Structure formats: C-alpha cells, structure tokens
Amino acid sequence: MPSAQSVAIAGGGIIGLTIAWRLAQLGLAVTVYDKGAPGGEASWAGAGMLAPGGEFDAISELAALALESRRLYPGFVRKLEEASRRPIDFQERGALDLAYSSAELASLESRAAAQQRLGIPSKPLTPSQVATFWPHIRKSSLAGARFYRQDAIVDPRHLVTALMEVCRKSNIILMPDCPVERVSVGGAGVRFHTSQGVSDCDFAVIAAGAWSSSLDVEGVPALPRCEPVRGHLIAYQQPAHTCETIVRHGHTYLLQRANGLLIAGASAERVGFVRDIDPSAVGALASEASFVFPHLAETSPAETWVGFRPLSDSVHLGAWHSPRLLLAYGHYRNGILLAPVTAARIAAAVNASSRTQ
Ligand code: GLY
C-alpha cells in the first residue's frame, strides 16, 4: 500500500478510533474528525457488554459479526494495552440469566436451545448454585438460571483513553470539536468540508454513530438512515465483588466495573437526540436493580446518564456506491463489541480498493 494514501474518518468514537488505528498500521495517513470530544457519546455512555449471549438468539449477519468480534477481543485488548501502556478493565467472567417464575425459566431454556445452534453455549444452574456463587442476588422465588461463560465486559472509557493514546503515538490527527459539514465523493478522492476548513483525502469513513446519516454527503445516493435510540443507565458505587459477572433479568442487565461502579441498564426510547434524564426511566431501572440485588433498595444511584444507540436497517460495514466512501455505522446495541471486527472489515475494504487503483 503506498504510504501517501490518506483517509478521513467522521466520528471519533470507539469505532472510528479503532478504524483509525488499524488504517494507520496499514500505512495510511489518518485524520479523525469529531463534532465534540472523541469518545464522548455512545462510547462514553455504553456499559461495555461484550455479550452475544444477551443479544442474539437467531442466525443473522450481525450475530455472526458479534461472535467473530468477541473472539477478536482478547487480542484487541492485549495489543491496545501494550501499545498504549494504559490499563483496560476487561473481565471475561461470563453472564448469569435469572428466571423468577416457571414461565421465565421456560423462556430462558428455549432461548438457550436456539443459541446453542448459533454457537453460544450456556448451562443451567439451580437456585442453590446461584445462591452459592452470587450471594447478593435475590433468592426468593428464584426458579433457575443459565450461565453464559463466553460473555464479558470492558470499560469503554478505558478503551477510549487507550485508543486516543495509540492514535497520538501513530501520528493520527485528531480533530475534536470539528463537525464534518459536507462530504463530496468524486472519482479521484473525497473532500471533507468541516467547521475548520476543507481537506482532500483518498478515502472517507463515516463512523459517526447515530449522527452518521445526518451528514450531508454528495456524489453518491443518500446514506442509509440511522436514528438514535436513547438508553438510560444508572450506577451505584458498591464494594468489590458485589456483582462478579454480568447479571441479566428480563430486559435489564447489571455489571460491575473494577472501580466498583455497579451499572444497571438500559431503557430503549425513540425520542431523538433528547438528552434529558427521564425520572420514570431511572425509577424503573432502580426498581429492577433492587429486585435483583435487594440491598440496593437501601441506596440511590450515584450516577444516571443517557446515550444514543445508532439504529439502522442493518449494520453498514463497507463501500457505499464508491470504493472511496466506506460506512461503519448502524451497530445499534453492540458498537463496543463490534469495534474490532468493524475495523478489520474497513481495513480489508480499503486494502482491496487500494489494490485496484
Ligand atoms: N449494549 C446494551 C445496550 O445497548 O443497552
């Protein structure tokens, strides 16, 4: 690959920064534009679940990508820690799905059978096994559970810090507070019009999460629509080992970071980019959190926040009507999980285009 080739990336979240790092490793000159602080949106808000067991129960392109990316994660984290010299809270301890009625247990079991066919293993646990290994969990009415050993968590804020450091070491230019106003795609290259001027590059990547399709792009058909789905999360400061694995019940998940923060998420609301905290969503999460961990009823969440998931008709990973324009958005609930596989796909697309030019 000629080293003179350049790429501009719209969006400096975990997806955009991971792509930037990967393309810099291939020898491209990389610039990343972000409308605010890199990693300041979904990458900051996400709980950091790397958990196909909680997300997929049917064959789909997204499920296959998620499983592939989960396999890539240990190497991704190891290389990122080595290159950045920043610690990353990455816990491969599995996930526990709880059932508090026979109907919930039947539903867990039929879901697990479907997941087994996808390559997502889980095993049943009895209430007494749950009580032994998860002593803080509600025992009353517990009908059973399943354990997903391959599910894991990562602290997305650690990923952002480490990625920004490797970007700096790789001479990637980061342009914070620099919204991309227009992208003009031509046969010979791509022009980025930003709040700080115009620049030309060989390739452009759109990795702006829920904001991706609001970019004004000319020279190709309109980008696939992407809309925000707001999620509320809450967190409690708790003693270490309160929640050793991901714990799920119904639509709620709980996990504990190495720094003690026990996070419960998440709502799903199609309200546009409204950042207001909705007390009823917080109340519903707190109520579910204290259902699973009864001692939390004695305490209020220390933090509440919202983030915007990027929902599209599918995940978009690759060229859009020009080998010079690549899309990397639509990851919805799994952007943090899908970052390594997304970067690999975008790097492969850039490599293939470079060879044909
Ligand atoms: N990844 C979980 C969520 O979007 O809530």
Side-chain angles (χ1 to χ4, degrees), residues 149-227:
R149 66 181 159 76
Q150 292 177 352
D151 286 355
I153 64 172
V154 71
D155 185 335
R157 299 178 196 180
H158 286 181
L159 289 182
V160 170
T161 304
L163 284 165
M164 287 184 65
E165 180 61 14
V166 293
C167 285
R168 192 187 63 71
K169 289 183 174 181
S170 310
N171 297 319
I172 291 164
I173 299 171
L174 291 183
M175 299 288 288
D177 302 313
C178 187
V180 178
E181 289 161 353
R182 190 153 38 95
V183 178
S184 308
V185 184
V190 183
R191 177 161 287 183
F192 262 42
H193 306 255
T194 75
S195 63
Q196 294 182 34
V198 170
S199 72
D200 292 316
C201 52
D202 297 301
F203 297 98
V205 181
I206 310 297
W211 287 264
S212 295
S213 65
S214 43
L215 296 183
D216 181 7
V217 179
E218 57 186 28
V220 290
L223 299 186
R225 190 175 139 67
C226 192
E227 69 162 301

Side-chain angles (χ1 to χ4, degrees), residues 23-320:
L23 294 183
Q25 288 171 325
L26 290 180
L28 280 94
V30 186
T31 306
V32 180
Y33 298 88
D34 198 283
K35 65 177 180 48
E41 293 287 357
S43 302
W44 175 85
M49 293 218 299
L50 310 174
E55 299 287 329
F56 303 103
D57 56 12
I59 291 171
S60 67
E61 185 199 354
L62 193 60
L65 285 168
L67 289 168
E68 184 180 341
S69 211
R70 174 67 190 89
R71 286 190 288 275
L72 295 175
Y73 238 89
F76 171 61
V77 169
R78 192 183 61 252
K79 285 187 198 135
L80 187 53
E81 277 188 320
E82 279 167 14
S84 68
R85 302 194 170 276
R86 302 290 172 125
I88 296 171
D89 176 15
F90 173 53
Q91 303 175 28
E92 294 189 284
R93 299 215 192 100
L96 181 72
D97 270 20
L98 298 167
Y100 284 94
S101 67
S102 49
E104 284 185 2
L105 190 56
S107 152
L108 282 193
E109 280 165 1
S110 69
R111 188 163 191 268
Q115 290 176 317
Q116 200 79 36
R117 294 190 282 276
L118 285 184
I120 301 176
S122 65
K123 68 174 189 185
L125 295 181
T126 63
S128 72
Q129 286 172 312
V130 174
T132 303
F133 295 107
W134 288 265
H136 305 289
I137 281 177
R138 176 181 297 274
K139 292 160 201 81
S140 131
S141 308
L142 185 60
R146 291 200 74 94
F147 183 65
Y148 289 77
R149 66 181 159 76
Q150 292 177 352
D151 286 355
I153 64 172
V154 71
D155 185 335
R157 299 178 196 180
H158 286 181
L159 289 182
V160 170
T161 304
L163 284 165
M164 287 184 65
E165 180 61 14
V166 293
C167 285
R168 192 187 63 71
K169 289 183 174 181
S170 310
N171 297 319
I172 291 164
I173 299 171
L174 291 183
M175 299 288 288
D177 302 313
C178 187
V180 178
E181 289 161 353
R182 190 153 38 95
V183 178
S184 308
V185 184
V190 183
R191 177 161 287 183
F192 262 42
H193 306 255
T194 75
S195 63
Q196 294 182 34
V198 170
S199 72
D200 292 316
C201 52
D202 297 301
F203 297 98
V205 181
I206 310 297
W211 287 264
S212 295
S213 65
S214 43
L215 296 183
D216 181 7
V217 179
E218 57 186 28
V220 290
L223 299 186
R225 190 175 139 67
C226 192
E227 69 162 301
V229 178
R230 186 173 71 179
H232 279 76
L233 294 101
I234 64 172
Y236 304 81
Q237 197 61 48
Q238 288 288 294
H241 312 300
T242 301
C243 181
E244 299 254 38
T245 67
I246 298 169
V247 173
R248 297 186 285 249
H249 178 232
H251 295 296
T252 305
Y253 53 82
L254 299 111
L255 57 88
Q256 188 173 27
R257 298 220 198 288
N259 65 10
L261 212 59
L262 194 158
I263 296 172
S267 59
E269 305 141 59
R270 293 170 92 153
V271 295
F273 290 107
V274 175
R275 293 184 190 272
D276 303 337
I277 300 282
D278 176 353
S280 67
V282 170
L285 278 174
S287 153
E288 182 59 23
S290 64
F291 178 83
V292 174
F293 287 105
H295 73 279
L296 294 178
E298 312 295 318
T299 179
S300 297
E303 288 181 45
T304 59
W305 68 94
V306 295
F308 299 105
R309 307 176 183 90
L311 177 64
S312 191
D313 55 347
S314 70
V315 64
H316 302 287
L317 299 184
W320 179 253

